[in-house]
Amino acid sequence: MSGKILLCLIILFSLFINKVRSQHIYSGNDSLIYAKLLKMDFNNYVDSTGSIFFKDLDYTFTRAIPNQKKPGFISSVLFSFSDSVSLYIRVKNLDQKEKLGFNYIFSTDVFLSKKIEWICFRYAGECIKGCEEVYC
């Protein structure tokens, strides 16, 4: 008997979470960016520059945060549009000569002039698109 009650509670909770998520997606400017990113075919931008991708997206990011895989070297950059909508972009050859440190100045212009290797779209911490082969 208690197993059936627990199962019902789990089902109700998952339905509630899905309803909250769907309401959250369609609030404010996030819904416009979300819809645009879903329509875009990220494969079309592999070997194109990041600036071309952002020109086609036609939304401006609010933050760009470099990520490291190997200590001191940028592996990808997290571009945030809001607290919920973000993109990870990796370029093929950043050609970074100097390790990250207090004197290193990251330039989004330089990063966006390089050719894209992959793009990953995340919403509310979950991967939505682009992480089929690479975890972001």
Side-chain angles (χ1 to χ4, degrees):
M1 179 72 175
S2 64
K4 289 181 182 181
I5 293 173
L6 181 63
L7 180 62
C8 286
L9 288 174
I10 290 170
I11 291 170
L12 287 173
F13 182 72
S14 69
L15 290 172
F16 172 76
I17 292 297
N18 286 335
K19 182 162 180 67
V20 168
R21 254 192 213 141
S22 66
Q23 288 174 347
H24 187 61
I25 287 172
Y26 296 104
S27 64
N29 201 34
D30 282 4
S31 62
L32 299 173
I33 300 168
Y34 186 96
K36 179 87 181 237
L37 288 167
L38 277 183
K39 289 179 187 174
M40 294 176 82
D41 184 355
F42 294 164
N43 292 323
N44 290 341
Y45 296 95
V46 172
D47 289 327
S48 295
T49 63
S51 56
I52 290 172
F53 173 79
F54 278 104
K55 182 179 177 227
D56 289 353
L57 178 60
D58 201 27
Y59 287 97
T60 305
F61 54 88
T62 56
R63 288 178 298 208
I65 304 167
N67 295 298
Q68 302 175 53
K69 192 170 187 179
K70 178 180 171 187
F73 293 92
I74 298 170
S75 62
S76 63
V77 174
L78 168 69
F79 293 95
S80 297
F81 298 89
S82 69
D83 288 339
S84 300
V85 179
S86 60
L87 292 170
Y88 281 90
I89 298 179
R90 180 183 295 159
V91 295
K92 290 192 176 199
N93 185 6
L94 184 56
D95 204 23
Q96 180 183 348
K97 306 264 190 258
E98 184 182 338
K99 285 179 106 176
L100 292 175
F102 292 111
N103 297 326
Y104 184 84
I105 298 171
F106 173 70
S107 170
T108 54
D109 291 335
V110 170
F111 185 85
L112 294 176
S113 71
K114 305 296 182 180
K115 292 187 176 188
I116 293 174
E117 185 175 339
W118 62 260
I119 302 169
C120 175
F121 167 36
R122 294 180 69 85
Y123 182 81
E126 291 186 30
C127 182
I128 303 299
K129 183 173 154 183
C131 54
E132 295 81 12
E133 296 175 22
V134 178
Y135 176 77
C136 60

